[in-house]
Amino acid sequence: MTRALPKKADTIGAGAVDAAREALLEEVDVVEVGEHLGHLGEDERVVTHFFACTRAGYRGWRWAVTVARAARAKAVTVDEVVLLPGDDAIVAPEWVPWKDRIKPGDLGPGDLLPTEEDDPRLVPGYTAGDEVVDQDSVRAVSDELGLGRPRVLSLEGRELAAQRWYDGSHGPDAPIAQSAPGSCGSCGFMLKLAGPLSQLFGVCANAYANDDGRVVSFDHGCGAHSEAQLSKKNLPAPLPEPVLDTLTWEELEKF
């Protein structure tokens, strides 16, 4: 890959520092213009001069004055005067569309999140993209033609969901799973899903578990495993026998 070499600045345009400053001072106050920071050859007989910006709140920004001249002309004309951010300038973060900013849990009651017509996570329902089509499922597919859901999960959508669940707090890398006495796959409270995702995920049905009613991976786990048993080393130490204080015993008055 070859990189474009910087253009050689026009000699007359590069020397027009005073003309560029005068044009800049016609647009902004003199107290907002600092020293000359250099120039850049933009094109043939086109040069941009940079001046430090001393305006409050614009640290790292610089004034850019672009000058140009016609062929065989000895004087330059000003093309534009703009304020540009430098390498150390404080600028607003890159704009992100709202649909890419939404995170799980952001939606509240009454909020709507419409899907696009070409959403890659969805395919027409008649393709049965989220199903494993075999002889036993042909009837289910025919029942869905025109009568069931208009769109279903595509293979891409299913894989994205599986990866998100597996990498999240309900997968094997969660701290609670690392210290669990057993995995969810061997827990009696695990309810298996139907379809392709049933090979890796289920739903927790333990009312005392943190993940009750949530999708968890088979290699996830917690301390509420159905087969978890307290060992002797986990039992609290027995309390010592009570001691009767005989040193400060006071006799009760006799009546």
Side-chain angles (χ1 to χ4, degrees), residues 149-174:
R149 297 171 291 168
R151 290 191 290 178
V152 295
L153 272 177
S154 64
L155 294 178
E156 180 181 352
R158 189 177 68 204
E159 291 177 359
L160 288 173
Q163 192 65 52
R164 184 173 62 253
W165 295 347
Y166 197 79
D167 294 340
S169 59
H170 309 307
D173 296 330

Side-chain angles (χ1 to χ4, degrees), residues 10-21:
D10 178 66
T11 303
I12 296 178
V17 178
D18 293 338
R21 182 182 290 275

Side-chain angles (χ1 to χ4, degrees), residues 219-230:
D219 46 3
H220 183 65
C222 72
H225 193 280
S226 63
E227 309 306 317
Q229 300 291 333
L230 287 175

Side-chain angles (χ1 to χ4, degrees), residues 67-134:
V67 298
R69 69 180 182 90
R72 294 186 298 276
K74 300 300 182 181
V76 298
T77 57
V78 178
D79 284 359
E80 62 178 359
V81 177
V82 295
L83 181 61
L84 299 177
D87 295 337
D88 300 328
I90 301 176
V91 296
E94 183 179 355
W95 184 80
V96 180
W98 67 270
K99 65 177 183 179
D100 297 329
R101 297 197 302 266
I102 294 179
K103 298 180 180 180
D106 286 349
L107 295 181
D111 292 340
L112 297 179
L113 181 60
T115 57
E116 298 179 358
E117 290 294 330
D118 57 350
D119 193 321
R121 299 171 300 172
L122 299 170
V123 292
Y126 58 80
T127 64
D130 63 344
E131 304 289 343
V132 177
V133 181
D134 53 26

Side-chain angles (χ1 to χ4, degrees), residues 7-246:
K7 296 182 179 297
K8 183 178 180 180
D10 178 66
T11 303
I12 296 178
V17 178
D18 293 338
R21 182 182 290 275
E22 291 177 3
L24 176 59
L25 294 179
E26 292 179 359
E27 302 292 335
V28 300
D29 197 299
V30 64
V31 297
E32 297 180 351
V33 180
E35 61 180 338
H36 182 249
L37 301 177
H39 64 269
L40 175 65
E42 302 283 4
D43 204 342
E44 186 178 3
R45 296 187 298 277
V46 179
V47 178
T48 296
H49 289 274
F50 298 101
F51 298 88
C53 176
T54 56
R55 178 180 293 180
Y58 283 82
R59 185 188 67 186
W61 289 66
R62 54 186 182 174
W63 299 106
V65 182
T66 301
V67 298
R69 69 180 182 90
R72 294 186 298 276
K74 300 300 182 181
V76 298
T77 57
V78 178
D79 284 359
E80 62 178 359
V81 177
V82 295
L83 181 61
L84 299 177
D87 295 337
D88 300 328
I90 301 176
V91 296
E94 183 179 355
W95 184 80
V96 180
W98 67 270
K99 65 177 183 179
D100 297 329
R101 297 197 302 266
I102 294 179
K103 298 180 180 180
D106 286 349
L107 295 181
D111 292 340
L112 297 179
L113 181 60
T115 57
E116 298 179 358
E117 290 294 330
D118 57 350
D119 193 321
R121 299 171 300 172
L122 299 170
V123 292
Y126 58 80
T127 64
D130 63 344
E131 304 289 343
V132 177
V133 181
D134 53 26
Q135 295 298 326
D136 297 332
S137 61
V138 171
R139 182 179 298 276
V141 174
S142 63
D143 291 341
E144 189 141 11
L145 289 176
L147 301 176
R149 297 171 291 168
R151 290 191 290 178
V152 295
L153 272 177
S154 64
L155 294 178
E156 180 181 352
R158 189 177 68 204
E159 291 177 359
L160 288 173
Q163 192 65 52
R164 184 173 62 253
W165 295 347
Y166 197 79
D167 294 340
S169 59
H170 309 307
D173 296 330
I176 194 172
Q178 297 292 326
S179 58
S183 62
C184 292
S186 61
C187 181
F189 295 107
M190 166 68 77
L191 293 176
K192 293 186 177 181
L193 300 175
L197 292 180
S198 63
Q199 302 176 11
L200 187 59
F201 298 100
V203 177
C204 177
N206 189 342
Y208 300 104
N210 294 348
D211 298 318
D212 179 40
R214 299 176 180 175
V215 175
V216 293
S217 65
F218 287 161
D219 46 3
H220 183 65
C222 72
H225 193 280
S226 63
E227 309 306 317
Q229 300 291 333
L230 287 175
S231 62
K232 292 183 178 180
K233 65 179 180 180
N234 298 125
L235 294 175
L239 296 176
E241 293 294 330
V243 177
L244 182 62
D245 186 2
T246 59

